[in-house]
Amino acid sequence: VVELLITSSPIMLFQKGTPNAPKCGFSRQVVELLTTSNVSFGYFNILEDDEVRQGLKSFSDWPTYPQVYVRGELVGGLDIMKELMEEEGGLVEQLELGEFVIKEGADVFVAEDAQQKEEKKEELSLNEKLEQLVNRHRIMIFMKGIPSSPQCGFSRQIVAILDSFNVSYDAFNILEDEDVRQGLKVYSDWPTFPQLYVEGDLIGGLDIVEEMVESGDMEDVLMGGGQD
């Protein structure tokens, strides 16, 4: 279970509480560092699962929280994150996180292979890009803002619902990329945001999510029980 969680998102934060409501100062500061770096990350609230909380300490040989993993490898806790932030290029350059930057023009943070990345970027059609995005994490929301700072009430509510299930998910801020914002409406045949995807399939917007929560179906879908 621990190994699956660590690799469930390219950047994973194991914290006390959620990005919206951290339950300790150290977790709050790490969330701020990641948010300031404008990278998309998944998280897990260790207060909700003591088995994961204890198991991860042994697995990582790291006794405290929060813990940050990048591509399945432990980076460390708050002190190490602060040190990396102060190095040249900050977290993005030190941990090579350019591909996870939410803003358009992520190549600003990339040094020697900027041209190569630009060529690859041009090769990808919008549809291929959207397909990659909806599959970037098992549970993806496309929203206005980011989970720690939603920019509309509907996005805030869908984040609160996902947080209530204590599942790891990833988010994309559609306000930062007009191509994705308009393209996804066509790709999904769904005209509004937020949009929730599970395993690459569109579940719907806030209304449908709320209905599924009331009917009890949402838990099955989020926990991997499938949607019938």
Side-chain angles (χ1 to χ4, degrees):
V1 173
V2 168
E3 284 185 68
L4 283 173
L5 280 173
I6 286 167
T7 55
S8 65
S9 184
I11 305 171
M12 268 301 286
L13 167 62
F14 291 85
Q15 66 167 110
K16 294 178 179 177
T18 67
N20 265 348
K23 297 296 187 194
C24 80
F26 299 126
S27 292
R28 181 176 298 108
Q29 289 179 68
V30 169
V31 168
E32 283 170 5
L33 290 175
L34 290 168
T35 306
T36 304
S37 301
N38 208 29
V39 290
S40 176
F41 61 95
Y43 78 92
F44 186 88
N45 179 3
I46 51 113
L47 298 179
E48 297 287 346
D49 193 323
D50 202 54
E51 199 177 325
V52 170
R53 183 178 186 171
Q54 301 308 327
L56 198 58
K57 288 180 185 180
S58 307
F59 180 88
S60 63
D61 198 20
W62 194 270
T64 58
Y65 290 96
Q67 293 182 17
V68 176
Y69 290 76
V70 173
R71 301 177 184 91
E73 298 289 328
L74 174 70
V75 175
L78 177 61
D79 289 348
I80 288 175
M81 293 291 281
K82 277 181 168 175
E83 285 171 24
L84 291 170
M85 192 73 171
E86 286 165 15
E87 297 290 325
E88 189 182 342
L91 291 180
V92 171
E93 205 162 292
Q94 293 300 316
L95 295 173
E96 298 177 354
L97 305 179
E99 63 191 292
F100 310 121
V101 171
I102 298 166
K103 260 186 179 168
E104 267 189 336
D107 339 34
V108 171
F109 299 100
V110 181
E112 61 278 7
D113 62 345
Q115 190 177 351
Q116 189 184 349
K117 272 194 186 284
E118 192 57 43
E119 285 164 9
K120 277 187 190 169
K121 204 162 127 188
E122 284 169 7
E123 284 168 22
L124 281 180
S125 74
L126 181 57
N127 266 4
E128 286 173 320
K129 181 180 179 182
L130 294 173
E131 192 170 344
Q132 283 185 358
L133 280 174
V134 300
N135 287 285
R136 190 167 75 182
H137 191 285
R138 200 181 79 80
I139 303 171
M140 273 296 293
I141 46 170
F142 293 82
M143 60 182 284
K144 294 179 180 178
I146 56 178
S148 54
S149 180
Q151 300 297 310
C152 81
F154 299 126
S155 292
R156 185 174 296 109
Q157 287 176 68
I158 210 163
V159 164
I161 288 170
L162 289 175
D163 287 349
S164 74
F165 284 99
N166 196 40
V167 289
S168 169
Y169 62 90
D170 201 351
F172 186 92
N173 180 4
I174 51 113
L175 298 179
E176 296 288 355
D177 193 324
E178 191 62 21
D179 286 346
V180 170
R181 183 178 187 171
Q182 299 306 328
L184 201 59
K185 291 179 183 179
V186 179
Y187 178 90
S188 63
D189 196 22
W190 195 269
T192 57
F193 292 96
Q195 293 182 15
L196 173 67
Y197 288 76
V198 175
E199 293 178 355
D201 293 326
L202 175 70
I203 302 300
L206 180 62
D207 288 350
I208 286 178
V209 168
E210 285 180 331
E211 284 171 19
M212 290 177 71
V213 170
E214 283 177 28
S215 69
D217 292 335
M218 183 50 66
E219 187 170 8
D220 288 341
V221 170
L222 294 179
M223 303 303 179
Q227 188 184 13
D228 297 322

